[in-house]
Every structure is written in C-alpha cells, then in structure tokens.
Amino acid sequence: MDDYTSLGIIGLGAMGTPMAHRLLDAGRTVTITARRPRPDLVEAGAIWADTPRLLGASCDIVLLMLPDLPQVEEVLTGPDGLLADTNELLLLIGSTSSATGVRDLDRRLRERSGDRIRTVDCPVSGGEDGAAAGTLSIMLGGTEEDARYAAAALAPCGNPVHLGPLGAGQVAKACNQMVVAATILALGEASVLASRSGLDLARMWALLGGGYAGGTLLESRKEKIVTADYSPSGVAKYMTKDLAFATEIAGATDTNTALLPALSTAFGELVDQGHGEEDIAVTRKFIEDRSPR
C-alpha cells in the first residue's frame, strides 16, 4: 500500500461530498457508492461502485463519513457489505462515535479477518465550510503506520494529525464538541441578553469578534444568530450524542466535570423543544423560548 492508493468513500452527505470533491480536485482516485446515484461526483471524476462490496474490492482505504457506528456496521455487513469480498483494507471511521465502541469494532474486525482489516478513527471539525475549503481539523487515532497512510490519504481535506492509539481521535472530538457546545450556548445567551437590552447585535458581535470573544465559531455563526436564520449547517441534535460520548469519557477517566452536565442538560432540553433539526445557532431561540416576556 503506497501513500496515494485508491480511496473509497461511503457517506456522501454534508461532509462526505465536499471532502470527495477536495480529493478529486487533488487528482486522487476516488470510488464512491451510495443509496442514490451521484452523477455530480461521477462527472467530477469519481468511480461509481454499485455496492459497498464492490467498492471494498477495488480500494485499499475506505473513508466512512457516516453519523455513528450503527450506520458503519450496516455498510460493513451482509452479502453486499463492504467486508463481503475484501482482502486487506484500512477503514477510516470519520463518524463522531464512542471511543470504546470504535476499539470494540476494530477488535471484532481483526478477529474476523485475521488482522487484514485495520481501523483508524478520523473524526473531523470545521463544518461544511471547512470541508469545502479543505481546512478541516482531522483527528487521527491508530497505529503509527496506519495513521501515516490515513494522513496521506486525507491531506487534501485539511490538517490530519495523529493524536494517539485507536480511539484518540474520538476523545479529541469529544473535547472539541464540549468547547463548541459551551461556546454556541454562550453566544445564544449573550445574544438574548444584548437584544433585550436594546443593543444592535450585528454591531456588537462585529466589535466583540475582535477581542477574546472572537473565534471561528462566532465568525461562522454570527450572521445566523443575528438574523435568526436557523437553517441547518450543523444540526443541533447531534450535539446530544457528542456530549454523551464526552460523558462516557469523563466516567472512564474518573473526571468530575463541572460544565459537561449542564451542557448535556441544555442540549437535551433544546432537542426536546423541537429544535434538533435546526442549526446549532438555534441556541438563541432556545434561550428566548425559556425566557418568555
């Protein structure tokens, strides 16, 4: 297996599609499969496989950009599954998942395949904008050798960094999501406080963005928060899953967190109020609804 070997992608959603385009633009050989035809990607140079089985048979590395491990298991198994007709294969799991679950999946795959199937976890951060621009932060967990192959394969998509053994990427993503959750909730609360105090939100966030309150998340969600546009870029419901994984890690490491329980409760309430399919910027509306006037 060389550094620029054939790569397959399963999971051509909001993140997988722009990542596929970045790889194709870099001249990589990319094979795809999906439940529905993707003539746009084929026209861009991707090779179409009718089933995951056929994709796996033609690739050495497969990137799975799926929501979580149940969806990963679904494409792996069955007569047309990814593993039905596969020799040596490196799986890159881009899902935000349980670190324990990823390790368990790797153990089962190695036992079943005699170590022919290997795994690297590679969750990403940076959203759809980062995927399109090729500026994603890509968190790798796995052996040194496998992470090197993964980093070479994913380099056109952003900055892949090996953080430790298998599952390390998921731990890093959980930490990332804790910071994102805390920040977007603070932005929502602050926006309600400022708006109800008569401040111009656009002017305030333009000013505060130049100080310590500034950052990538404010820059990417500022307009949505100010205009109350909650059309999804990153849907809020996934944050509850991500924070649950962070809670699992806290338990495994005997860490008595102060902020994490409050974040989990707040996003659980937000989803229960029916905002789960909206953008995470909906924290502004969530706080407004909790504080009727």
Side-chain angles (χ1 to χ4, degrees), residues 17 21-22 30 73 91 113 127 153 158 163 165 191 204 216 226 234 254 257 274 279-280 282:
T17 292
H21 278 292
R22 293 296 307 184
V30 177
E73 298 263 13
L91 293 180
S113 68
L163 297 172
S191 294
M204 184 189 82
T216 303
V226 169
D254 296 322
T257 56
D279 191 84
I280 56 174
V282 79

Side-chain angles (χ1 to χ4, degrees), residues 101-178:
V102 168
R103 295 184 193 111
D104 178 67
L105 175 62
D106 176 69
R107 177 188 56 77
R108 288 185 284 114
L109 291 176
R110 285 180 178 272
E111 289 176 354
R112 170 178 170 176
S113 68
D115 286 337
R116 290 180 295 104
I117 309 297
R118 308 184 316 282
T119 307
V120 168
D121 58 314
C122 62
V124 303
S125 180
E128 295 176 37
D129 292 342
T135 58
L136 292 172
S137 295
I138 306 172
M139 300 157 254
L140 303 180
T143 68
E144 288 282 354
E145 181 180 19
D146 289 342
R148 179 174 65 82
Y149 289 131
L154 297 175
C157 300
N159 181 28
V161 176
H162 185 208
L163 297 172
L166 190 66
Q170 301 300 340
V171 174
K173 183 60 184 286
C175 294
N176 180 84
Q177 294 305 87
M178 287 175 63

Side-chain angles (χ1 to χ4, degrees), residues 42-59:
V42 172
E43 185 176 345
I47 301 167
W48 176 261
D50 286 334
T51 65
R53 176 178 182 170
L54 293 175
L55 181 144
S58 64
C59 297

Side-chain angles (χ1 to χ4, degrees), residues 63-66 92-96 120-124 170 173:
L63 172 64
L64 302 174
M65 292 302 299
L66 298 165
L92 309 184
I93 299 180
S95 317
T96 299
V120 168
D121 58 314
C122 62
V124 303
Q170 301 300 340
K173 183 60 184 286

